[in-house]
Amino acid sequence: MATVFSADYDKAFTLIYSFMAVEIKGRNLKEIRHAMQTGRCEFIQEYHENEFAQPAKGAAIIESVRFITGEKMDDILSTYKAGK
């Protein structure tokens, strides 16, 4: 797995696998990204205010998780390879 980060890695990052990409967006994601990099993150979930208590100020919040496959995945891979 390769991890590609947006310019502002505290708000978004993308996990790239050989068969799909997973785009994660939110706020204060630095700790989650670091936990993934060090193998300490086993589970992530989008935050929905009607399902969970309001998180503490400055807490990590995942606002969206998007799975990308097919032609869109090809676009991401070509962009990733061009950036190397």
Side-chain angles (χ1 to χ4, degrees):
M1 169 179 69
T3 306
V4 178
F5 304 100
S6 65
D8 186 351
Y9 58 81
D10 205 35
K11 292 185 179 180
F13 59 91
T14 303
L15 305 172
I16 297 182
Y17 300 89
S18 61
F19 57 95
M20 76 171 176
V22 182
E23 180 184 75
I24 301 165
K25 291 184 177 182
R27 294 175 284 175
N28 306 315
L29 299 178
K30 191 175 190 176
E31 286 184 41
I32 293 173
R33 183 200 65 172
H34 183 67
M36 287 181 154
Q37 287 178 301
T38 58
R40 294 181 295 117
C41 181
E42 295 181 17
F43 178 82
I44 62 169
Q45 183 173 353
E46 291 178 18
Y47 169 75
H48 298 282
E49 64 183 39
N50 58 344
E51 294 180 31
F52 300 100
Q54 182 69 29
K57 185 173 180 152
I61 298 173
I62 296 174
E63 296 170 341
S64 69
V65 177
R66 184 171 72 120
F67 297 91
I68 304 164
T69 60
E71 289 181 20
K72 291 185 181 190
M73 176 65 182
D74 293 338
D75 293 343
I76 289 173
L77 287 175
S78 63
T79 302
Y80 174 69
K81 289 177 184 174
K84 282 189 160 190

